[in-house]
């Protein structure tokens, strides 16, 4: 999980062509048309779990990813780019727009596109494989230019940028388990960053009834590890998007309710003297968590203590009583 750096100084188009060959290995293939010579660009890349994180800076130029490039490298999935300085004028199918710092761009890497880098562009980027998964299901963001008409949440955008920068600047190698955990949290933040804003209007009676059914189902079966927002929607016979619409204005998300139900179940088992012979890992799985580590992280974030500390305190209280 080390860092790779590609530093390019080109004085002619053949040099740029050689950069394209290097880019195929480090990211994906482009044609590069510099505004002037000499031309300089720098790419810093680190792989974290299934994700590829990059920091990209270059002089003014045009980058084009065409159908031959797509056939050449076979790269698929999404790219989420966040300018740190400069601007990107992007064209992707029938969508186009100017992306500035404070905005983000989601690009489908399996389709042709192009963009101009202006004012010495510097950006951070996450390349997300097509099969990447969130804790609540598959990653699904429709490709779009967020040029003010569909802007990402500003606070979360800053958080995502800071997390990418921190992961790129960490000099030590990142072990596989930590890398997988970091990749999952980053994907969750990105998905939340592009989530639709809460609907301030109260749901219709039909949506309110659907929300109560979803809450009851999660309360009853939240410890089932297979339960996800998608399976809840399937069990209720509606689409996931419609179910998310029913949850707007409730102060909760489907995944949040599932997580809270599992945390509550885990806490109850940790504090139950009759379950004191169970290992923490067994309680984690019985509560619906995928691993001991994810259970520990959830309990620590929610209560500021590890599961073992919660159990020890409860057992001491029982002994004192």
């Amino acid at each position: 999980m080390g860092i790779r750096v590609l530093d390019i100084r080109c004085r002619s188009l053949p040099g740029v062509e050689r950069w394209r060959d290097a880019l195929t290995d480090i990211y994906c293939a482009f044609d590069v048309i510099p505004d002037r010579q000499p031309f300089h660009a720098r790419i810093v890349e680190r792989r974290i779990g299934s994700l590829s994180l990059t920091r990209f800076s270059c002089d003014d130029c045009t980058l084009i990813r065409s159908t031959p490039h797509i056939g050449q490298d076979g790269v698929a999935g999404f790219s989420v780019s966040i300018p740190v300085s400069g601007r990107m004028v992007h064209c992707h199918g029938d969508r186009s727009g100017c992306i500035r710092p404070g905005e983000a761009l989601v690009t489908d890497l399996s389709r042709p596109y192009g963009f101009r880098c202006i004012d010495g562009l510097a950006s951070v980027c996450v390349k997300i494989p097509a099969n990447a998964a969130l804790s609540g299901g598959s990653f699904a963001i429709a490709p779009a230019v967020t040029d003010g008409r569909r802007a990402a949440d500003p606070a979360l955008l800053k958080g995502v940028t800071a997390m990418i920068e921190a992961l790129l600047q960490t000099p030590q190698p990142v072990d596989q388990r930590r890398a997988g955990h970091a990749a999952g949290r980053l994907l969750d933040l990105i998905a939340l960053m592009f989530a639709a804003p809460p609907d301030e209007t109260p749901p219709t009676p039909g949506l309110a009834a659907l929300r109560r059914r979803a809450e009851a189902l999660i309360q009853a079966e939240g410890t089932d590890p297979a339960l996800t927002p998608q399976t809840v929607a399937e069990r209720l016979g509606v689409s996931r998007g419609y179910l998310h619409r029913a949850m707007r204005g409730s102060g909760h998300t489907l995944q949040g309710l599932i997580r809270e139900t599992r945390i509550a179940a885990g806490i109850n088992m940790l504090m139950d003297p009759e379950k004191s012979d169970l290992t923490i890992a067994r309680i984690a799985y019985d509560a619906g968590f995928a691993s001991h580590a994810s259970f520990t992280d959830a309990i620590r974030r929610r209560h500021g203590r590890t599961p073992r500390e919660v159990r020890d305190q409860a057992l001491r209280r029982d002994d004192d009583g």
Side-chain angles (χ1 to χ4, degrees), residues 138-269:
S138 61
F139 184 85
I141 291 180
V145 175
T146 57
D147 58 354
R149 292 169 296 183
R150 183 175 174 266
D153 180 275
L156 288 169
L157 185 70
K158 289 182 180 179
V160 169
T161 304
M163 187 173 182
I164 296 170
E165 293 275 25
L167 289 169
L168 286 173
Q169 291 171 12
T170 302
Q172 295 84 7
V174 181
D175 66 68
Q176 188 170 357
R177 183 182 63 82
R178 288 187 175 182
H181 179 77
R185 301 293 75 76
L186 184 56
L187 275 177
D188 286 340
L189 275 178
I190 291 171
L192 187 60
M193 180 176 77
F194 286 106
D199 190 349
E200 300 298 331
T201 60
T204 64
L207 290 176
L210 178 60
R211 184 175 72 197
R212 289 193 295 270
R213 290 171 58 203
E215 291 170 346
L217 176 60
I218 292 170
Q219 185 66 34
E221 302 185 27
T223 57
D224 180 354
L227 193 71
T228 67
Q230 181 63 39
T231 59
V232 172
E234 290 172 356
R235 293 279 300 277
L236 296 176
V238 297
S239 70
R240 183 173 169 181
Y242 189 71
L243 188 52
H244 278 301
R245 181 180 166 196
M247 299 301 297
R248 291 178 188 171
S250 68
H252 302 285
T253 63
L254 291 168
Q255 187 58 42
L257 282 174
I258 293 172
R259 186 184 302 111
E260 289 301 316
T261 299
R262 291 172 178 170
I263 290 173
I267 290 290
N268 288 337
M269 284 187 274

Side-chain angles (χ1 to χ4, degrees), residues 78-148:
F78 293 102
S79 172
V80 179
S81 301
I82 305 172
V84 177
S85 62
R87 294 177 292 149
M88 300 166 60
V89 178
H90 188 269
C91 180
H92 192 278
D94 60 352
R95 297 175 180 267
S96 64
C98 183
I99 318 302
R100 301 174 177 84
E103 299 173 341
L105 171 70
V106 181
T107 305
D108 183 350
L109 296 175
S110 65
R111 295 173 55 202
Y113 62 88
F115 59 88
R116 279 185 49 74
C117 305
I118 304 173
D119 300 334
L121 176 72
S123 66
V124 293
C125 179
V126 185
K127 187 172 69 178
I128 303 170
N131 61 350
L134 294 161
S135 58
S138 61
F139 184 85
I141 291 180
V145 175
T146 57
D147 58 354

